[in-house]
Amino acid sequence: MIALKSIKIKRNMLLGYWIIVPVLFYFYLFLVSFNQQATIQQLIIQIPGLTLALLLSFLTLFQAACLYFISSRTTILEKKFLTFSLFQQILTGNIIGAALCYFNNKWLFADKTQISRNTKFVFYCATGFIGLISIVILLIAIRMKGV
C-alpha cells in the first residue's frame, strides 16, 4: 500500500511539473507583452524562439492530459508512455521532465490486464502526435541556429 501511494505521488509530481511549467511560461509571456506594450501575437512574430517555446508548452500540457488519461486505464501503456516521454523530454531538452519520467517509470509495475482497442488507439495517436510535433520543433530549432 505504501508503494502504491508513492507511485501516485511520483505521477502527481510529474503531472504537476508538466502543468505548472507551461502556466509559468504563459504568465511570463503575458508579463513581457504587458511590459513591452505589444500583443502576444506581435511578440511571437518578432521572436521566433517564443513561438517554439509556446509550441513546446502546448505539447507539454497535451502530454500531461495523455498521461492522466492513460494512467487511469492501465499501467502497461503508462509504462510505455513514460518510456516514450523520457526520450521525448531528452530530445526537447527538458532534463527535469526526463528525470521525473525515469523515476516514475522505474517504480511502476506493469500488470497483465487487457487493454481495450480505444485505449490503444488513443495511446498510439497521442504518441505519434507528440513525436511528430517534437521532431518538427527540433528541426525548426536546429534550422534557427543556422540562420
Side-chain angles (χ1 to χ4, degrees), residues 25-26 29-30 32-33 36 38-55 57-58 144:
F25 173 74
Y26 299 143
L29 192 60
F30 172 74
V32 169
S33 71
Q36 295 189 0
T39 64
I40 293 175
Q41 182 182 7
Q42 290 171 343
L43 284 177
I44 290 172
I45 291 172
Q46 291 173 357
I47 307 168
L50 281 179
T51 307
L52 288 179
L54 188 69
L55 278 173
S57 65
F58 281 130
M144 279 178 39

Side-chain angles (χ1 to χ4, degrees), residues 1 6 13 16-17 25 42 45 57 64 66 70 83-84 88 102 104 115 118 129-130 132-133 139:
M1 188 69 167
S6 67
M13 283 179 54
Y17 176 76
F25 173 74
Q42 290 171 343
I45 291 172
S57 65
C66 289
I70 290 170
T83 303
F84 168 78
Q88 185 271 339
Y102 172 76
N104 198 359
I115 304 166
N118 291 338
F129 177 74
I130 292 168
L132 178 70
I133 298 298
L139 291 174

Side-chain angles (χ1 to χ4, degrees), residues 69-81:
F69 174 77
I70 290 170
S71 67
S72 66
R73 304 285 190 245
T74 178
T75 56
I76 294 172
L77 289 182
E78 183 180 2
K79 200 161 178 61
K80 288 181 181 179
F81 186 76

Side-chain angles (χ1 to χ4, degrees), residues 130-146:
I130 292 168
L132 178 70
I133 298 298
S134 296
I135 290 172
V136 167
I137 289 171
L138 183 67
L139 291 174
I140 292 172
I142 290 170
R143 177 98 171 153
M144 279 178 39
K145 288 183 181 179

